[in-house]
Amino acid sequence: MFTLIFLFLLLNIPLLVSSIIRPRCFWRMKQNKDKDGDSLTGCYFYFFIGKWPVEKDYFNHILNTQSPTENKYFPLVLAFSMDEVNRNPDLLPNMSFVFPEGGFKTLKKLYSGMPLSEEYNRFPPNYNCIGFVMCILMLSGPDWATSAMVGIFQDHYGSQEFVQLTYGPFHPILSDHEKFPYLYQMAPKDTALPLAMVSLMLHFSWNWIGLAILDNDQGTQFLSHLRREMEKNTVCFAFVSMIPVNMHVYMSRAEVYYTQIMTSSTNIVIIYGDTNSTLALSFRMWESLDIKKIWVTTSQWDVTTSKRDLTLDTYYGTLAFAQHHSEISGFKKFLQTLNPLKYSDEYLARLGWMNFNCEVSASKCETLKNCSSNASLQWLMTETFDMAFSDEGYDIYNAVYTVAHAAHEMLLQQVDDGEEHYGNCLKLHSILRKTHFTNPIGEKVNMNQRENLQAEYDIFQIWNFPNGFGFKVKIGEYSPYFPVGQQLNIYEDVIEWSTGNRQMPPSVCSADCGPGFRKFLKEGIAACCFDCIPCPENEVSNESNVDKCVRCPEDQYANREQDQCIHKAVIFLNYEDPLGLALALMALWFSAFTVLILGVFVKHHDTPIVKANNRNLSYILLFSLMFCFLCPLLFIGQPNSATCVLQQITFGFVFTVAVSTVLAKTVTVLLAFIVTAPGRLRYFLVSGAPKYIIAICIIIQIILCTIWLGVSPPSIDTDAHSVHGQIIIVCNKGSVTAFYCVLGYHGSLALGSFIVAFLARNLPGTFNEAKLLTFSMMLFCSVWVTFLPVYHSTKGKAMVVVEVFSILASSAGLLGCIFIPKCYIILFKPERNSLEKIRKKTSS
């Protein structure tokens, strides 16, 4: 358990550390030059290792000889790095890096500035009497073209006499060891940059991105890698502008690129390429026109300033990916020690970024916008900590230390084997390729695996404000070495302080499809551009931008918003339902009323009206009708296997008894009037044979029910589709054919009874009930003929209600038509039920 806790804390160390690191903030002032971007002019340095200590003001003398129009930042970094090595007693003892006068040249002065050219013969080859180790150390950059040009010129003088290191972005052309065998790139590859940028897009929910790159191999390779990462994460290109390298071709198409970026709906544009190219020209033009976009690029582009101050808008600016480095302290102190008057904070702020305390500024103003609008140079200088290193500065710093460690190793080998390697550049190359060390700021440098390393990035947000001020705030970092999902770390509180809001401007092709909707992609259109359509019936989506809605389970249904599934209500005809309660009370009332009529008939069983209509058949009919009225109670309440079987069997049996009894009564009436002489028919009537009709009909019904139960008996069924939002529990009839056979059998018995009763309706007799039987059968048949279409047109528990109502109505029809008139005579007209009265009426 302790081990698991330890591993968990170990894995979360990066997040814990990043959460307590104070955010880094920077400020600078715009160059007072008409030509922006001078700081990116290609240049190179050469320096040597001298076998004597240098004076304290050595670098001051060298730097003061530089032309005022040339960039001062790179030689200042080089001088700082060389001085730090020279003062290190553990590196190159009794030796020093020297930076000769004229050791810094721009690309325009490449040939004349070469130390082996005819114009520069101050230090001829192998001239060691003054103590130089004549392996010439070259630093070139920041653009790859300068380094490539320097490398090509070295071939004219013997490339083995040089060690060339580059500062500036990594470029694949310079990694060609056949073409540049003695060239070393200090910057790591940008292979992780596309994934880092896409991770940032996903964090801010941006999926509609513009891209501007140079139309060359490097731009094409970056586009390929970026497109692969974007396709994995459904991020799309709003446009891709491939800017021609050729200036004449570019000028002919410049208006097209401008229109493309102005008309695009995206708020995010990625800029990637060389900073001294046609792409840089485009970027300066777009920025100067105050195009409201967020520019996502690398740190090399943060030195480009517009020719006029931008509108104060903290929502828009530049998001720059810079290589992650620890802080190098003492740079400003070193410069101001050389020349306090010249290297003031204001002067240094025009060369690069100055570090200031975010916490102090945050305490003085709620947002950076308020700070910047009220900022003064004096306030910023009081808050300045040090001068920050750019990516190129870090490369120069590491390059100096790399050469120092390699040369130091060469000296150690000289002591071991007793041979001198001062002028042997090949020996230095062989050692340099294997050099690995930890620099003073704690970072490991391994030249053997330099090209295999993936860069870690700090993410900065940069603004150019009025009055020439520029501000930069670190808002996050990215490391490809962290676990997936933890590689990007954004400082939300810093974004809120710097912009006044945690949210960045949106950049999407289509608005999000909210819950209850799904994306509908159009053919031939980017995957980020879609329409939103509602989910189909009974399907839901509880997330945004889903491709497919999810169907609810059978026991659930989609709510009106179609963003969640709700459990369906289980519905059946129960006693708590007003309709179910009403039907149950009706069934009980009719049953009680039937018992009451039966009691009346039993009490007056000796009266002529009871005896004249075959009182035994009347008793049977009343008993069967009582059970017919009680039968609907099996249909009310939650169904189970037993009640489902009893519903149909009981219904079929008791109705067969009732209708067959009516048939027996009609046959009895008919035979009583048509049989006047002794014979078989008279014997049939006297012997009570009509009662056998009931038994035969019941036996047929039992056979039908047995077949029904054997083939496909009734069972419990759930109907989840008939009524929206409800699961109706009903009894499945099982075999529908058997059910209709039972109904058909009842109908045939009723039809037979109706025909016989109709034939006997006009026969004479005081208590001839043929007319009553005719009306009862006509009502019975009408109810069940009406039942069929109504039953098939209803769903759910309404079907049960229709069946129950039909049972009650048909039973009430038999009871009312046959027995109510007789009860009326028995109870309210007793004189008509007297035998003497009947005889008097007959004799008269």
Side-chain angles (χ1 to χ4, degrees):
M1 185 64 183
F2 176 77
T3 305
L4 291 176
I5 295 174
F6 175 76
L7 288 175
F8 174 80
L9 294 175
L10 183 63
L11 291 174
N12 284 275
I13 284 176
L15 293 180
L16 295 174
V17 172
S18 63
S19 64
I20 62 175
I21 293 177
R22 176 177 52 82
R24 297 167 57 194
C25 298
F26 307 86
W27 70 279
R28 70 176 176 200
M29 297 184 64
K30 191 168 62 176
Q31 298 279 356
N32 291 327
K33 299 179 182 180
D34 294 332
K35 180 181 179 181
D36 290 333
D38 273 354
S39 59
L40 296 179
T41 302
C43 53
Y44 69 94
F45 309 88
Y46 58 91
F47 55 98
F48 305 90
I49 300 176
K51 296 197 295 183
W52 71 88
V54 297
E55 299 295 332
K56 184 176 181 180
D57 61 347
Y58 171 78
F59 292 103
N60 187 24
H61 171 72
I62 296 300
L63 295 174
N64 286 337
T65 61
Q66 303 297 322
S67 170
T69 60
E70 294 174 337
N71 186 346
K72 291 292 179 64
Y73 178 75
F74 296 145
L76 290 175
V77 173
L78 179 60
F80 169 78
S81 305
M82 293 169 65
D83 179 71
E84 194 172 272
V85 171
N86 291 343
R87 289 184 291 102
N88 189 337
D90 297 325
L91 280 177
L92 299 176
N94 300 320
M95 305 184 75
S96 303
F97 279 119
V98 291
F99 186 30
E101 184 177 351
F104 165 50
K105 296 292 182 181
T106 61
L107 191 60
K108 298 177 182 178
K109 302 178 180 180
L110 177 61
Y111 179 76
S112 62
M114 293 299 290
L116 299 182
S117 65
E118 296 179 358
E119 298 182 18
Y120 192 92
N121 54 11
R122 183 182 181 92
F123 306 109
N126 300 320
Y127 187 77
N128 298 323
C129 63
I130 59 174
F132 281 109
V133 178
M134 286 304 299
C135 186
I136 303 170
L137 307 176
M138 303 287 296
L139 264 176
S140 58
D143 57 284
W144 72 272
T146 299
S147 299
M149 189 70 69
V150 171
I152 293 173
F153 266 79
Q154 288 178 14
D155 291 337
H156 297 285
Y157 306 103
S159 57
Q160 296 181 3
E161 300 296 327
F162 295 87
V163 173
Q164 183 182 358
L165 300 99
T166 69
Y167 61 95
F170 183 92
H171 200 284
I173 291 180
L174 300 180
S175 63
D176 185 351
H177 297 298
E178 294 184 1
K179 193 172 183 180
F180 304 102
Y182 304 111
L183 185 145
Y184 303 89
Q185 297 191 75
M186 298 307 301
K189 284 185 176 180
D190 276 338
T191 51
L193 183 61
L195 180 57
M197 287 184 171
V198 172
S199 300
L200 184 70
M201 308 301 166
L202 296 176
H203 178 83
F204 292 117
S205 300
W206 295 331
N207 65 8
W208 193 233
I209 310 300
L211 176 65
I213 55 175
L214 281 174
D215 190 6
N216 56 15
D217 292 340
Q218 186 184 21
T220 303
Q221 185 180 36
F222 178 78
L223 173 60
S224 175
H225 293 165
L226 184 63
R227 175 176 280 128
R228 182 172 63 248
E229 297 298 336
M230 291 174 67
E231 288 176 351
K232 290 180 184 178
N233 297 279
T234 318
V235 181
C236 307
F237 285 119
F239 65 87
V240 177
S241 294
M242 302 192 70
I243 309 298
V245 178
N246 185 279
M247 180 61 72
H248 296 290
V249 178
Y250 163 74
M251 293 304 296
S252 64
R253 303 177 185 173
E255 185 67 26
V256 175
Y257 302 131
Y258 172 75
T259 303
Q260 189 177 46
I261 198 170
M262 284 297 295
T263 57
S264 176
S265 59
T266 181
N267 284 324
I268 312 300
V269 180
I270 296 175
I271 306 292
Y272 184 82
D274 298 330
T275 53
N276 58 342
S277 62
T278 52
L279 178 61
L281 183 62
S282 296
F283 181 53
R284 294 190 197 110
M285 180 186 70
W286 297 336
E287 195 181 27
S288 65
L289 294 174
D290 199 17
I291 298 177
K292 296 295 183 181
K293 304 290 182 184
I294 294 179
W295 312 101
V296 180
T297 183
T298 55
S299 61
Q300 289 75 31
W301 291 83
D302 70 15
V303 298
T304 305
T305 57
S306 59
K307 293 186 178 180
R308 64 183 183 87
D309 293 322
L310 299 180
T311 304
L312 190 61
D313 190 346
T314 54
Y315 277 106
Y316 297 94
T318 301
L319 295 180
F321 283 78
Q323 296 173 20
H324 174 74
H325 297 283
S326 301
E327 293 287 349
I328 299 177
S329 59
F331 185 32
K332 186 183 76 170
K333 182 179 180 181
F334 166 76
L335 298 176
Q336 292 181 339
T337 301
L338 293 179
N339 192 333
L341 298 178
K342 178 178 181 181
Y343 296 117
S344 63
D345 279 1
E346 182 177 357
Y347 178 86
L348 295 178
R350 299 185 187 278
L351 299 182
W353 292 103
M354 303 293 288
N355 196 337
F356 73 94
N357 192 342
C358 290
E359 295 176 353
V360 173
S361 88
S363 65
K364 292 187 176 182
C365 46
E366 294 181 357
T367 65
L368 176 62
K369 183 175 181 179
N370 296 333
C371 285
S372 60
S373 60
N374 299 322
S376 65
L377 181 60
Q378 290 75 17
W379 176 78
L380 286 171
M381 286 191 296
T382 60
E383 302 300 333
T384 298
F385 286 157
D386 205 343
M387 188 174 183
F389 269 50
S390 66
D391 283 355
E392 295 85 356
Y394 279 106
D395 293 341
I396 294 174
Y397 185 79
N398 283 332
V400 171
Y401 270 93
T402 299
V403 174
H405 278 273
H408 188 80
E409 179 64 25
M410 190 167 65
L411 289 176
L412 294 178
Q413 292 183 13
Q414 171 192 342
V415 174
D416 292 338
D417 57 24
E419 298 180 4
E420 292 190 2
H421 306 292
Y422 284 133
N424 193 342
C425 271
L426 291 179
K427 183 63 177 179
L428 184 60
H429 279 299
S430 64
I431 297 175
L432 194 62
R433 293 190 182 99
K434 303 175 184 178
T435 299
H436 58 89
F437 61 94
T438 300
N439 65 17
I441 59 175
E443 293 182 347
K444 293 183 179 181
V445 179
N446 190 338
M447 297 303 295
N448 187 35
Q449 300 177 359
R450 198 66 179 167
E451 294 184 1
N452 298 324
L453 295 177
Q454 295 189 75
E456 298 180 83
Y457 296 99
D458 291 334
I459 305 172
F460 294 94
Q461 192 164 14
I462 306 169
W463 301 272
N464 288 321
F465 289 111
N467 303 321
F469 287 104
F471 285 89
K472 180 169 74 170
V473 179
K474 181 180 176 181
I475 64 169
E477 55 190 22
Y478 176 87
S479 174
Y481 303 106
F482 284 0
V484 177
Q486 301 179 17
Q487 295 174 329
L488 181 70
N489 184 25
I490 297 297
Y491 309 146
E492 302 287 352
D493 53 341
V494 177
I495 295 177
E496 183 175 13
W497 170 74
S498 60
T499 65
N501 196 325
R502 286 178 179 261
Q503 300 296 324
M504 287 285 195
S507 184
V508 295
C509 179
S510 300
D512 289 340
C513 293
F517 293 84
R518 69 177 180 89
K519 295 192 296 185
F520 178 74
L521 300 178
K522 299 178 181 178
E523 188 175 355
I525 305 298
C528 303
C529 303
F530 46 81
D531 292 331
C532 297
I533 60 175
C535 289
E537 184 179 358
N538 208 38
E539 293 187 9
V540 298
S541 65
N542 55 8
E543 297 178 356
S544 298
N545 298 332
V546 298
D547 296 316
K548 188 177 182 181
C549 299
V550 179
R551 179 169 291 278
C552 291
E554 289 293 325
D555 61 339
Q556 299 178 17
Y557 71 99
N559 61 350
R560 179 171 298 183
E561 293 78 16
Q562 292 187 276
D563 58 358
Q564 62 177 330
C565 293
I566 302 175
H567 283 278
K568 293 181 178 178
V570 179
I571 300 298
F572 52 86
L573 188 63
N574 57 38
Y575 295 103
E576 296 177 359
D577 190 339
L579 187 57
L581 180 61
L583 292 174
L585 292 176
M586 288 175 61
L588 293 175
W589 187 86
F590 279 117
S591 297
F593 189 66
T594 304
V595 173
L596 181 63
I597 293 176
L598 179 61
V600 171
F601 267 61
V602 171
K603 183 178 180 180
H604 300 86
H605 65 283
D606 291 329
T607 59
I609 194 170
V610 175
K611 297 168 69 176
N613 294 287
N614 197 331
R615 60 186 175 189
N616 291 332
L617 291 179
S618 296
Y619 292 157
I620 294 173
L621 181 57
L622 285 171
F623 271 108
S624 64
L625 287 176
M626 182 182 65
F627 284 108
C628 285
F629 286 124
L630 292 176
C631 180
L633 298 180
L634 295 173
F635 291 81
I636 303 173
Q638 185 170 357
N640 54 57
S641 300
T643 56
C644 285
V645 173
L646 288 175
Q647 282 178 7
Q648 305 305 324
I649 300 303
T650 304
F651 162 71
F653 181 80
V654 296
F655 263 78
T656 298
V657 173
V659 179
S660 62
T661 302
V662 173
L663 178 61
K665 289 175 70 69
T666 56
V667 171
T668 301
V669 172
L670 182 62
L671 291 179
F673 285 99
I674 65 174
V675 177
T676 56
R680 288 185 177 181
L681 290 177
R682 186 176 180 84
Y683 174 79
F684 183 77
L685 177 63
V686 174
S687 63
K691 296 178 182 180
Y692 292 108
I693 294 176
I694 300 174
I696 294 171
C697 292
I698 291 175
I699 291 172
I700 295 174
Q701 176 64 34
I702 291 174
I703 293 172
L704 288 175
C705 289
T706 302
I707 295 174
W708 187 357
L709 295 177
V711 175
S712 180
S715 60
I716 298 177
D717 191 16
T718 56
D719 181 6
H721 305 288
S722 297
V723 180
H724 180 70
Q726 295 180 353
I727 298 177
I728 302 171
I729 301 179
V730 294
C731 285
N732 191 333
K733 297 295 189 292
S735 175
V736 179
T737 303
F739 173 70
Y740 285 113
C741 285
V742 171
L743 284 183
Y745 179 60
H746 291 165
S748 63
L749 294 178
L751 182 62
S753 300
F754 174 77
I755 293 173
V756 175
F758 183 78
L759 294 175
R761 72 187 186 283
N762 293 324
L763 294 177
T766 303
F767 299 113
N768 184 7
E769 61 178 354
K771 291 182 179 180
L772 300 178
L773 295 176
T774 301
F775 281 114
S776 66
M777 287 299 99
M778 184 173 64
L779 180 60
F780 183 89
C781 292
S782 299
V783 169
W784 288 104
V785 168
T786 306
F787 162 80
L788 293 175
V790 176
Y791 184 79
H792 284 286
S793 63
T794 56
K795 295 180 180 180
K797 68 178 183 179
M799 298 176 67
V800 181
V801 172
V802 170
E803 189 171 358
V804 169
F805 184 78
S806 299
I807 293 172
L808 292 176
S810 58
S811 301
L814 293 178
L815 182 66
C817 292
I818 297 174
F819 294 101
I820 295 299
K822 296 177 183 180
C823 288
Y824 176 76
I825 293 174
I826 293 172
L827 297 175
F828 300 106
K829 300 290 183 179
E831 67 278 3
R832 294 175 56 183
N833 194 21
S834 172
L835 185 59
E836 291 128 3
K837 187 73 174 176
I838 294 172
R839 287 175 179 174
K840 290 179 182 179
K841 184 178 179 181
T842 304
S843 61
S844 61

